[in-house]
Amino acid sequence: MKPSIKTVDFLVIGGGVAGLRAAIELAPKGSVLVLTKDKPTESSTEYAQGGIAVALSDEDEVGIHYDDTIKAGDGLCREDAVRILVEEGPGLILELISWGAEFDKEGSKLSFTMEAAHSRKRILHSRGDATGKEIERVLINKARSFPSISRFDFAFTLDLILENDRCVGATVLRHDTVFNIFAKAVILATGGAGQVFSRTTNPMIATGDGIAIACRAGALISDMEFIQFHPTTLYFPAAPPFLLSEAMRGEGAVLKNTQRKRFMPEYHEMSELAPRDAVTRAIVSEMVKTNSRHVYLDLTHLDKEFTKKRFPLIYATCLQYNIDITEDLIPVSPAAHYIMGGVYTNIYGETSIKGLFAAGEVASTGVHGANRLASNSLLEGLVYGARTGKQAAHYIDKENIDIAGIESYPEGFSDKASSMSALDVEKTRSTLRQVMWNKVGIIRCGESLSIAKKWLDKKNAILDMSFQNRRGFELKNMLTVAQLITDAALARKGSVGAHYRSDCKSKGDNWQKHTACRKDQTVTWID
Ligand code: FAD
Ligand code: SIN
């Protein structure tokens, strides 16, 4: 199949907070094409509940936000990246408000809530628990106001196009047509990889495509062992692991085991507001002790009208399962939520490949260290989306890249269909997700990781296959990401932040270094 051709100045792959914010920054500098693999709003950004952290309240300071972020990151945050996040965050939030974002208020003042591991109330929220939807709405509207930004929806990026070691575009599958889209600079903003695990809060689009695509192109990938498992998602037969926001504990909800006993004070001085990894492991420990598949989240002591008003989406969703959160205990258990690692970038969003930039959850700036502080991710998308956009514009000014001169390019897509049936693809996807949850999940050890590695390696043939549809290509990407996570988790023989190994509970050698990996190479350590 001969690909159709498109040419733009900037190609932004992803339409969540990071991609849109980058596109807005680039709009005055040239033509920008934003790709989404599904409908424009289908992203983690759209589903974000709790809010966005920012040091804007009277009782807060950027220095305190910095300290809390560093502490949650358990010694592995890149300090310059954190400083940028907390210092540039307030200005970008005020800008978002000036573009029409409506955050909840108390009287005429912004209302800030508490979340785990924050020492101040600093989380802005919108319509209670629909913060992401509001941010996505405002950014989509703002992007629409620039004639230089166009969109290409349901456009699945297969691979990057490289010419003389420089990224100059991407190959994209849209319905049955393959496109080679040439661009002077490419920004990856494809979000996370939660779908690699069988229990996840992440939407279906989160299959780690950006990480796999960059890895295939030879980019440096780092910190892949650090997966954040959210402590509280709905555990109910036939229900998906719907997120029950940490803000609920911020407002006073408590965790109880199946014997109705509150347990967090026995595990951590911050009780229910301990860092996420600590709460998640405490829940697992109580589930084991009580031989149960869940614990409970209890809000029944809070004022009923307050609960309904503060968490309208969660209230309505739980009611669909006959759980009235104002009266009933909510069965909860953890699920994969966020990936701290990804495509290695510096503080300007530059990856190890010229012309390729990355921002948001797909990127590994080191801003979250070994464990992300709650509600820092939307802020990261804004801050690093904008910075990456700026840098990409600077890059094309400086380098004077002529993409019109490119004559030969890889097709990136073969007519040779894989030998896997649609059923095989679904079955392998499902088993891969189970293997990752059971063997590379919240508590890992050398033995469980080796079993996973063996299973994943047996599927290597899939990595060379070409498919006819998105599901097959996603499987290929999920396999790459699963291998990267497992290899990094095997390499880190110690427990730091969200990476917990029952066979090495201390931090271990090299613990202050970051794991790094390139295609077909073993894991190494970088500063
Ligand atoms: P996303 O918003 O996920 O966007 C990814 C984009 O990439 C999508 O447009 C998608 O279509 C596109 N894409 C992916 N692959 C391809 C491909 N192959 N080709 C073309 N396009 C592609 N964080 C907070 O700070 N506060 C919160 O309250 C909060 N709540 C959360 C609640 C839930 C349920 C979830 C899942 C996450 C939450 N997070 C929260 C985390 C946060 O929402 C995400 O980390 C953040 O939104 C990621 O933004 P992003 O722009 O990097 O990616
Ligand atoms: C939540 O609302 O609990 C999610 C917040 C986050 O992931 O930062």
Side-chain angles (χ1 to χ4, degrees):
M1 187 192 296
K2 196 162 167 37
S4 302
I5 308 278
K6 273 178 180 276
T7 304
V8 289
D9 291 319
F10 302 100
L11 179 62
V12 177
I13 309 177
V17 58
L20 289 172
R21 189 60 192 78
I24 291 165
E25 200 65 30
L26 289 165
K29 309 282 181 182
S31 56
V32 185
L33 184 64
V34 178
L35 300 185
T36 60
K37 77 172 180 184
D38 209 289
K39 61 182 179 180
T41 50
E42 195 57 16
S43 59
S44 290
T45 301
E46 175 76 6
Y47 298 107
Q49 291 182 359
I52 185 160
V54 64
L56 271 176
S57 84
D58 296 342
E59 63 174 54
D60 206 358
E61 289 166 28
V62 291
I64 308 175
H65 189 184
Y66 173 87
D67 290 343
D68 289 349
T69 302
I70 295 278
K71 201 166 165 198
D74 204 12
L76 269 173
C77 290
R78 290 206 161 85
E79 292 173 7
D80 52 350
V82 177
R83 174 103 24 228
I84 286 165
L85 178 84
V86 297
E87 284 180 355
E88 295 185 7
L92 286 163
I93 295 280
L94 294 175
E95 178 186 62
L96 201 65
I97 293 173
S98 75
W99 292 345
E102 290 185 17
F103 293 109
D104 297 334
K105 289 188 172 164
E106 278 159 34
S108 60
K109 283 192 152 184
L110 288 168
S111 162
F112 296 87
T113 194
M114 193 68 157
E115 277 187 1
H118 288 270
S119 63
R120 294 287 189 279
K121 284 186 164 192
R122 68 165 66 94
I123 321 295
L124 285 176
H125 42 91
S126 181
R127 277 170 288 132
D129 50 9
T131 314
K133 209 180 186 60
E134 176 65 1
I135 292 176
E136 185 77 11
R137 178 189 73 79
V138 171
L139 291 176
I140 285 181
N141 282 344
K142 184 70 187 171
R144 269 197 197 124
S145 72
F146 293 98
S148 54
I149 300 182
S150 41
R151 275 195 350 230
F152 207 41
D153 305 328
F154 296 95
F156 183 84
T157 307
L158 299 169
D159 270 311
L160 298 169
I161 302 174
L162 266 67
E163 173 87 0
N164 298 329
D165 296 329
R166 193 191 282 273
C167 183
V168 288
T171 306
V172 170
L173 177 66
R174 188 167 191 259
H175 308 306
D176 290 331
T177 308
V178 180
F179 291 83
N180 271 345
I181 305 179
F182 292 102
K184 294 176 184 165
V186 176
I187 289 143
L188 271 181
T190 47
Q195 285 295 328
V196 164
F197 294 89
S198 58
R199 271 190 73 76
T200 182
T201 61
N202 288 191
M204 295 296 280
I205 55 112
T207 48
D209 298 342
I211 299 172
I213 289 167
C215 184
R216 281 200 291 276
L220 190 66
I221 310 292
S222 70
D223 282 346
M224 289 296 285
E225 67 276 33
F226 296 119
I227 306 291
Q228 183 170 74
F229 295 88
H230 198 289
T232 54
T233 70
L234 185 62
Y235 186 86
F236 198 70
F242 173 70
L243 184 76
L244 295 161
S245 175
E246 199 147 281
M248 297 168 93
R249 279 173 281 131
E251 298 288 1
V254 294
L255 286 161
K256 293 182 172 170
N257 65 19
T258 46
Q259 290 153 2
R260 314 291 199 264
K261 183 175 172 292
R262 188 175 171 207
F263 56 85
M264 271 316 296
E266 290 164 28
Y267 288 86
H268 201 282
E269 60 192 10
M270 293 174 84
S271 296
E272 277 80 4
L273 293 182
R276 266 183 200 169
D277 59 314
V279 180
T280 294
R281 284 194 294 275
I283 289 176
V284 171
S285 166
E286 288 298 308
M287 281 162 43
V288 170
K289 263 193 212 160
T290 57
N291 193 20
S292 167
R293 299 176 88 88
H294 65 83
V295 295
Y296 289 112
L297 188 65
D298 183 2
L299 288 87
T300 55
H301 51 288
L302 303 184
D303 178 78
K304 290 185 182 7
E305 288 315 307
F306 167 78
T307 297
K308 282 190 218 173
K309 191 159 173 252
R310 180 69 182 80
F311 303 108
L313 174 72
I314 296 174
Y315 176 72
T317 306
C318 289
L319 262 192
Q320 289 172 15
Y321 301 101
N322 290 327
I323 299 167
D324 179 341
I325 65 170
T326 67
E327 290 178 0
D328 303 319
L329 299 189
I330 317 168
V332 293
S333 80
H337 184 59
Y338 184 87
I339 183 158
M340 271 71 75
V343 183
Y344 174 84
T345 71
N346 62 15
I347 52 172
Y348 304 102
E350 290 170 322
T351 71
S352 60
I353 296 180
K354 259 196 164 179
L356 180 67
F357 300 78
E361 194 168 338
V362 69
S364 176
T365 55
V367 76
H368 305 303
N371 187 26
R372 175 176 65 96
L373 184 67
S375 288
N376 262 356
S377 174
L378 291 172
L379 190 69
E380 176 196 18
L382 277 185
V383 170
Y384 283 93
R387 285 181 76 81
T388 301
K390 242 182 222 117
Q391 191 65 14
H394 181 61
Y395 163 78
I396 74 161
D397 276 352
K398 199 179 64 182
E399 303 263 337
N400 198 15
I401 304 141
D402 182 12
I403 43 171
I406 299 172
E407 281 173 4
S408 69
Y409 45 84
E411 294 211 342
F413 183 76
S414 141
D415 285 333
K416 197 170 95 333
S418 93
S419 54
M420 289 179 91
S421 69
L423 214 64
D424 284 344
V425 168
E426 293 312 317
K427 193 161 175 266
T428 311
R429 266 178 90 122
S430 160
T431 314
L432 181 150
R433 301 176 74 221
Q434 291 292 341
V435 167
M436 289 302 285
W437 179 255
N438 291 326
K439 306 294 180 199
V440 195
I442 300 164
I443 297 177
R444 303 127 176 214
C445 65
E447 197 188 339
S448 73
L449 292 167
S450 300
I451 293 171
K453 183 166 172 57
K454 230 178 179 167
W455 187 90
L456 295 166
D457 284 350
K458 274 198 208 143
K459 304 288 167 200
N460 269 342
I462 294 174
L463 300 177
D464 295 323
M465 290 181 187
S466 179
F467 295 85
Q468 293 301 309
N469 58 38
R470 171 176 148 183
R471 298 288 288 179
F473 283 112
E474 283 178 345
L475 170 63
K476 187 166 157 171
N477 292 339
M478 287 162 77
L479 180 58
T480 297
V481 171
Q483 288 179 330
L484 288 164
I485 296 171
T486 307
D487 286 348
L490 268 166
R492 188 174 287 282
K493 294 185 178 60
S495 297
V496 189
H499 170 69
Y500 185 82
R501 281 192 48 166
S502 57
D503 56 344
C504 335
K505 292 183 185 161
S506 67
K507 290 195 161 171
D509 298 340
N510 272 345
W511 77 269
Q512 276 174 312
K513 294 208 174 247
H514 298 261
T515 57
C517 188
R518 271 183 218 271
K519 189 184 171 192
D520 301 330
Q521 288 180 5
T522 49
V523 174
T524 54
W525 298 90
I526 56 171
D527 287 327

